[in-house]
């Protein structure tokens, strides 16, 4: 039996945008789950979030942000003091080195301010496209797609991409949606991935967009069994 033909470009775009609309209705309050009060705080929190949870980051940042209020403060930080504060986030030595170097770079090149352009952000220590897009979308209102593990997984399951490289996923998925939707689309996919469309056992039988999903059935389809897998959040 031959595999089904892939959907046409038009059909793919229509289904993708319908999924986005349904996720918008499902998660009307979707937002970045890292706590921050400034672009610098969001940049630091996002760097800390690598290989750990937003909840864990939010547990350490109140102390960190009270101690270090400016790029100059990070540049002049005592390494051991900072390591003690962020130790529970994992990889704390590398993260401390990045944060101190970040502060120095911001002071040396940008007057101590977080730049508003992706091409500038990605030159900073510890900052890749994912982190840059988080900051652009949530601190500056510049649309950006955040390809974390949840976003990449769901984009693949929805049939929006066959790529595995995050940058290629970003561009391929971005082409399906108006630029104005990119930031919120990222939040919605991340929220859905954390709550329902899990990596190991997605709650297919309890998923409100199951009828639109070409991967329906990779997790339990029985509603009662699937509902036990749903995580309510919040995750911050």
């Amino acid at each position: 039996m031959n595999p089904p033909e892939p959907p046409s470009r038009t059909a793919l775009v229509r289904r993708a945008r319908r999924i986005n609309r349904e996720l918008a209705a499902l998660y009307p309050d979707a937002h970045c789950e890292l706590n921050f009060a400034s672009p610098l705080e969001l940049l630091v929190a996002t760097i800390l979030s690598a290989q750990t949870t937003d909840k864990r980051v939010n547990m350490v940042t109140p102390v960190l942000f009270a101690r270090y209020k400016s790029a100059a403060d990070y540049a002049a930080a005592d390494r051991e003091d900072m390591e003690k504060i962020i130790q529970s986030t994992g990889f704390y030595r590398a993260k401390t080195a990045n944060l101190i170097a970040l502060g120095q770079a911001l002071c040396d090149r940008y007057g101590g301010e977080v730049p508003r352009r992706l091409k500038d952000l990605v030159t900073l220590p510890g900052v890749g496209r994912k982190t840059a897009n988080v900051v652009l979308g949530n601190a500056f209102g510049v649309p950006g797609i955040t390809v974390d593990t949840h976003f990449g997984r769901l984009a693949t399951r929805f049939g929006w991409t066959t790529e595995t490289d995050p940058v290629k996923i970003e561009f391929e998925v971005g082409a399906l949606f108006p630029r104005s939707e990119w930031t919120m689309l990222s939040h919605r996919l991340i929220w859905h991935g954390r709550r329902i469309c899990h990596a190991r056992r997605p709650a297919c039988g309890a998923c409100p967009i199951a009828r639109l999903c070409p991967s329906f059935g990779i997790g339990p389809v029985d509603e009662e069994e699937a509902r036990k897998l749903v995580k309510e959040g919040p995750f911050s």
Side-chain angles (χ1 to χ4, degrees), residues 9 22 27 67 72 90 109 118 123-124 136 139 157 161 175 180 185 195 201:
R9 179 70 180 179
E22 301 229 357
Y27 305 114
R67 182 81 59 88
R109 306 207 302 264
L118 186 141
T123 68
L124 297 170
L136 289 173
R157 287 178 177 172
T161 183
S180 60
L185 174 73
R195 288 156 177 79
R201 296 189 74 209

Side-chain angles (χ1 to χ4, degrees), residues 158-204:
F158 290 156
W160 298 351
T161 183
T162 57
E163 301 289 349
T164 56
D165 178 75
V167 176
K168 292 179 179 178
I169 293 172
E170 178 189 335
F171 285 109
E172 191 164 16
V173 174
L176 301 174
F177 298 92
R179 190 168 180 267
S180 60
E181 282 291 302
W182 288 355
T183 299
M184 287 308 302
L185 174 73
S186 300
H187 291 321
R188 291 163 191 154
L189 259 67
I190 291 168
W191 275 44
H192 195 59
R194 286 174 173 171
R195 288 156 177 79
I196 292 176
C197 197
H198 312 304
R200 290 189 177 87
R201 296 189 74 209
C204 291

Side-chain angles (χ1 to χ4, degrees), residues 74-75 95-106 108-109 124-125:
Y74 283 96
K95 290 177 180 178
T96 295
N98 279 334
L99 292 181
I100 292 173
L102 172 71
Q104 293 168 342
L106 290 175
D108 292 345
R109 306 207 302 264
L124 297 170

